[in-house]
Amino acid sequence: MIRVLLAEDQAMVRGALTALLSLESDIEVVGAAPDGITAWREVERLKPDVLVTDIEMPGLTGLELAQRIRRHELPIRIVIATTFARAGFLRRALDAGVGGYVLKDAPAEQLAEAIRQVHRGGRAIDPQLAVDAWSEADPLNDRERQVLRLAGGGLTANDIAAQLHLSAGTVRNYLSEAIGKLNAANRVEAYRLARQKGWL
């Protein structure tokens, strides 16, 4: 049996995925978490074979969960099930050690097959997305991404500085770098562009 943990913040989707995967004779859903922090606790407690996670979740995103699993060198395979058909997200997912990237509008059996393939040590990724992912590299570094994400949420440079324990000048430098790299007119446009590409 492949022991699967689900991490999905929408209750209806979480319930549907649990029900669908439970129909598979070789897959057992051992737990389901509504956010990234709970998912991390369940990963440590249940030690599943495969984590199926959304990208956007409260607490920790699916990508941050994947990075944490990799950092702790846990022998858990990861499949992302998301609505984001964006090359930037896929590229960041692959960099974080994710083995599968499935879109939520794909047929249900595709997710089950992706879980099996990733469990065996293979990859399960939409071919067109994979091509797109390597056509345009993400120019932002982690700190620029973090600062731009907070700026996009409406925080001022001073607010961001306080939250990240940086000086306001350093924050403005990161924002300026991000705006320059994205050829944007301002932080709002930089945020919109980076979000559109899946780099945030």
Side-chain angles (χ1 to χ4, degrees), residues 148-186:
L148 194 55
R149 193 182 290 129
L150 291 170
L155 296 185
T156 66
N158 288 338
D159 294 336
I160 297 168
Q163 197 167 321
L164 299 180
H165 310 293
L166 299 169
S167 74
T170 302
V171 167
R172 279 191 285 274
N173 287 343
Y174 281 128
L175 281 172
S176 174
E177 282 293 313
I179 290 164
K181 285 178 177 180
L182 296 168
N183 294 317
N186 53 44

Side-chain angles (χ1 to χ4, degrees), residues 2 12 15 58 97 105 107 119 127 129 135 161 176 183 185 187:
I2 304 170
M12 196 180 286
D105 60 2
H119 182 250
L129 261 183
S135 62
S176 174
N183 294 317
R187 67 173 71 180

